[in-house]
């Protein structure tokens, strides 16, 4: 059966292909209840052993400023001089920021499973948000590894920031960027 013949799969396929990482947002606020609803969709990500190794910290309103300042504090002196004002302004223009945090299991297999499921959760969140007209960009900049930034956002020892999600209603939607056909990266083995 062709995947596009199934109406439900076709809609999901189109949503996946239509989603974009948005970096330019309107100033309109996003209702916290909507963000919570999106998270409640996202938590249906596959999670090994139903461990649900995630938690979230949402920054809106004036709380965006200390978040931006914590990020700026991780910069070198030269970066601060060159970028601080611009980055602070950018952070304050984005309606909401969501820090996605993962419990770090000391066992390698479980750590990898947990990281994978938190990444699935983030993708679910992005897709659910896109479906209702909210744009998201998933950031993994070096500052998420800074002990000072981690402390500023309340990340404890034994936890990892998997991403900082900037979100809002898109001011501008990026153009489609083509993907490599999977057949070019697929090896098929049917017999020994």
């Amino acid at each position: 059966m062709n995947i596009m013949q199934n109406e439900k799969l076709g809609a999901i396929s189109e949503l996946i292909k239509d989603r974009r990482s948005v970096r330019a947002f309107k100033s309109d606020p996003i209702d916290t209840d909507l963000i919570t609803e999106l998270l409640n969709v996202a938590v249906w990500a596959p999670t090994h052993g139903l461990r649900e190794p995630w938690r979230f910290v949402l920054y809106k309103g004036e709380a965006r400023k200390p978040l931006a300042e914590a990020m700026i504090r991780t910069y070198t002196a030269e970066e601060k001089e060159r970028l601080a004002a611009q980055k602070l302004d950018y952070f304050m223009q984005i309606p909401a920021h969501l820090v996605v945090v993962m419990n770090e299991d000391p066992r390698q297999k479980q750590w990898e499973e947990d990281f994978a499921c938190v990444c699935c959760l983030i993708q679910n969140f992005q897709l659910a948000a896109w479906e209702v007209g909210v744009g998201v960009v998933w950031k993994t900049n070096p500052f998420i590894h800074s002990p000072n930034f981690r402390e500023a956002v309340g990340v404890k020892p034994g936890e990892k920031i998997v991403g900082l999600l900037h979100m809002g209603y898109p001011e501008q939607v990026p153009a489609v960027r083509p993907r490599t056909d999977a057949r070019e990266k697929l090896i098929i083995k049917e017999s020994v």
Side-chain angles (χ1 to χ4, degrees):
M1 176 175 95
N2 180 329
I3 193 168
M4 297 313 285
Q5 290 173 339
N6 182 310
E7 199 173 295
K8 187 173 182 182
L9 289 178
I12 292 169
S13 297
E14 288 307 310
L15 180 64
I16 290 168
K17 291 190 282 184
D18 286 346
R19 187 207 58 82
R20 300 284 173 272
S21 292
V22 174
R23 290 173 177 82
F25 302 96
K26 295 178 182 176
S27 61
D28 303 354
I30 302 175
D31 187 71
T32 301
D33 289 341
L34 175 58
I35 295 169
T36 303
E37 286 179 44
L38 297 172
L39 284 170
N40 278 323
V41 170
V43 299
W44 285 88
T47 171
H48 298 82
L50 207 58
R51 286 193 296 269
E52 299 182 325
W54 45 68
R55 71 179 184 87
F56 319 100
V57 183
L58 178 61
Y59 289 86
K60 295 176 65 182
E62 290 305 310
R64 296 171 296 173
K65 186 173 182 184
L67 176 68
E69 290 169 341
M71 182 229 7
I72 292 165
R73 281 194 299 274
T74 68
Y75 288 1
T76 65
E78 186 270 328
E79 289 171 327
K80 285 178 188 171
E81 187 175 318
R82 188 170 44 90
L83 299 171
Q86 172 191 346
K87 290 296 185 178
L88 180 61
D89 185 53
Y90 177 68
F91 258 61
M92 294 304 291
Q93 288 179 18
I94 299 170
H97 305 275
L98 185 71
V99 180
V100 180
V101 181
M102 168 186 120
N103 294 327
E104 290 194 286
D105 195 301
R107 301 166 294 176
Q108 184 68 32
K109 177 183 180 293
Q110 286 77 5
W111 189 99
E112 290 177 5
E113 290 172 346
D114 289 349
F115 183 74
C117 79
V118 175
C119 291
C120 289
L121 173 137
I122 291 172
Q123 177 68 347
N124 282 357
F125 183 84
Q126 291 181 110
L127 291 170
W130 192 255
E131 185 177 44
V132 296
V134 174
V136 178
V137 63
W138 176 0
K139 305 299 282 184
T140 56
N141 298 58
F143 64 80
I144 70 171
H145 303 288
S146 162
N148 292 335
F149 181 81
R150 290 169 46 87
E151 183 180 339
V153 298
V155 174
K156 304 171 196 126
E159 293 183 320
K160 172 181 180 48
I161 298 173
V162 180
L164 174 60
L165 308 183
H166 304 316
M167 69 186 92
Y169 296 102
E171 180 71 44
Q172 180 181 357
V173 176
V176 174
R177 293 172 56 193
R179 299 297 199 267
T180 302
D181 189 303
R183 289 173 285 216
E184 293 183 33
K185 298 185 180 226
L186 175 64
I187 297 170
I188 300 171
K189 298 184 179 192
E190 294 183 4
S191 60
V192 288

